[in-house]
Structures are given as C-alpha cells and as structure tokens.
Amino acid sequence: MTTLLLVRHGLTAMTGPVLAGWTPGVDLDERGRAQVRDLGARLAPVPVAAVVSSPLDRCVRTAEAVAAGRPGTAGKVELDERFGEVRYGDWTGRPLKELAEEPLWKVVQAHPSAARFPGEDGEALADAAHRAVTAVRDWNARIAAEHGKDAAYVVCSHGDIIKAIVADAMGLHLDQFQRIQVAPASLTVIRYTELRPFLSRLNDIGGNVQDLLPPPPEEKDGDDGDAAIGGGA
C-alpha cells in the first residue's frame, strides 16, 4: 500500500495573477517561504522514503523544506521533469485576466481533455496528465521495490498536475479535473493498493498528521484494497 504525499509549491509573486508555467527563476516569495517552513515542520513526524520534485525552482525550494533534516535518501531531493508544470506555450507569463478572454479559455474550463496550449512548446493537458500519472506509477513501483509496500514518499508539483493525478486516482475523466482545488503549500494524500487508490486527503492546509504515521504491525489492515463498508473508524 504505497502512499503518495502530493505537495503543491508555496506562493510566489506570480501565483494567482499570472500564469507562471515554465518561466525560469520563479522562486518562493516571503509568504511562500513561511508556508513551506510550516509544511516541513508539520510533515517532520511522517517517515518517507523519498522526496521528489518538479525541476522548477518554486517546487525545489518547497521540496527542500520537506526534506530538511530527514535521514538517508529522504534528505535529498530527487528531480523528475514529468512532475513539472504543464507547458502552457504562448500563454506562459500572461495575466489570467487577459487569458480569460481567449477562446481557448472556455475549452480549458469545460473540456480540458481537448485543450492544447498554443505555441511551439505548447502542451496538451491530456499529455501533461499522462506523463504525471505515468511518473506516479513508476515511482510507486520503485518505492515499493526498494522500501517495502507500506512505504510513503513525497512529490512536490504544481496545481494542474496534482489535480490530474487526483482525477486519475478517483477514476474521473480529465474533463472533471477543474472541479478539484489544490491550494499553494497544500497536502494531498493518495494510498495506492493493488485493487484501487484511496484519496485520504485533498487540499489540506493544516491539522495534524497522526493518521499518516505507519501503524504497528499488529494493527495493520489487510492489503487487498477493500474499502470499509460504512466508512470505517
């Protein structure tokens, strides 16, 4: 039962008003640095086998805050470009208010599986979702093989990428992923079993993490992926 802790990067000066995309050099601002310090402290009790990040600066800084002080491989951030932001092409660096006037905006909102961003390096949302979900499958297998099937790991990524991963875990068509919200420096947790994934947390920006600690061996439930009828305790 591999557990994925998905973290969105903290706030930057561009977060919200501007579509940062792959703009180089976009780092956390003062608010973002405070957010990720708090997040790192909150997750400190949770044992993780690895901390993986998008290669973009804002994610790397966030991942470093989570990895700080951890022993072994979990103390070193590993980069995976497949968790990088959607490549927004010619939309990159433009204000969202301006982009909302573009005909493609409505497609992105209502039919994102059909959206491809303009420009030579523009990417289809479906392609971005596919690369991210493929990366999760690969990391799940690697973490389980190297650290056991009950291990957990952290991935620091971006809003649309995390939403796509959540939609896949929930069995939702990509056209439904705009119904999901992922705030800066939020925590989303998915447990992957052989039968199905379980979404344990979504867009969590506070609270304790006791339920993420591994249970004693004698208290472990079966690993067949069955859901608790009635919701469980």
Side-chain angles (χ1 to χ4, degrees):
M1 208 187 219
T2 306
T3 300
L4 168 61
L5 281 63
L6 281 165
V7 170
R8 185 182 172 196
H9 64 81
L11 285 165
T12 76
M14 297 178 76
T15 306
V18 177
L19 190 61
W22 283 74
T23 303
V26 179
D27 209 337
L28 303 178
D29 62 14
E30 184 176 347
R31 302 167 302 164
R33 290 191 292 272
Q35 285 179 320
V36 302
R37 282 196 301 269
D38 291 345
L39 177 66
R42 188 156 67 96
L43 291 181
V46 182
V48 297
V51 178
V52 187
S53 177
S54 153
L56 295 174
D57 290 348
R58 55 194 184 274
C59 281
V60 175
R61 300 294 172 265
T62 302
E64 287 173 344
V66 175
R70 292 184 180 273
T73 56
K76 179 181 178 182
V77 176
E78 298 192 57
L79 304 184
D80 190 329
E81 189 166 308
R82 295 174 296 177
F83 291 121
E85 180 63 285
V86 179
R87 294 187 181 275
Y88 295 113
D90 292 348
W91 278 29
T92 302
R94 294 176 59 189
L96 292 181
K97 287 184 177 181
E98 180 182 300
L99 293 173
E101 303 300 321
E102 297 279 354
L104 181 61
W105 180 270
K106 291 183 178 180
V107 180
V108 173
Q109 296 298 317
H111 192 20
S113 65
R116 176 177 290 276
F117 293 96
E120 186 175 337
D121 63 343
E123 184 176 29
L125 272 170
D127 291 341
H130 176 73
R131 64 169 161 85
V133 170
T134 299
V136 169
R137 299 289 189 270
D138 290 348
W139 276 98
N140 284 352
R142 173 178 166 180
I143 293 298
E146 296 179 0
H147 302 278
K149 61 183 177 60
D150 293 319
Y153 68 106
V154 174
V155 167
C156 183
S157 190
H158 308 265
D160 281 348
I161 297 297
I162 294 174
K163 286 160 60 176
I165 293 170
V166 170
D168 171 77
M170 295 296 291
L172 299 176
H173 194 283
L174 187 62
D175 286 346
Q176 309 301 320
F177 100 135
Q178 297 292 27
R179 302 183 182 197
I180 300 166
Q181 288 190 322
V182 178
S186 65
L187 173 67
T188 293
V189 180
I190 305 171
R191 300 184 190 273
Y192 288 88
T193 74
E194 291 184 7
L195 186 60
R196 62 168 69 87
F198 290 92
L199 179 64
S200 300
R201 293 192 182 200
L202 176 65
N203 197 30
D204 171 25
I205 56 173
N208 69 62
V209 292
Q210 294 302 309
D211 61 308
L212 300 180
L213 303 180
E218 66 273 11
E219 294 182 12
K220 287 184 179 180
D221 296 326
D223 60 358
D224 58 3
D226 286 347
I229 304 301

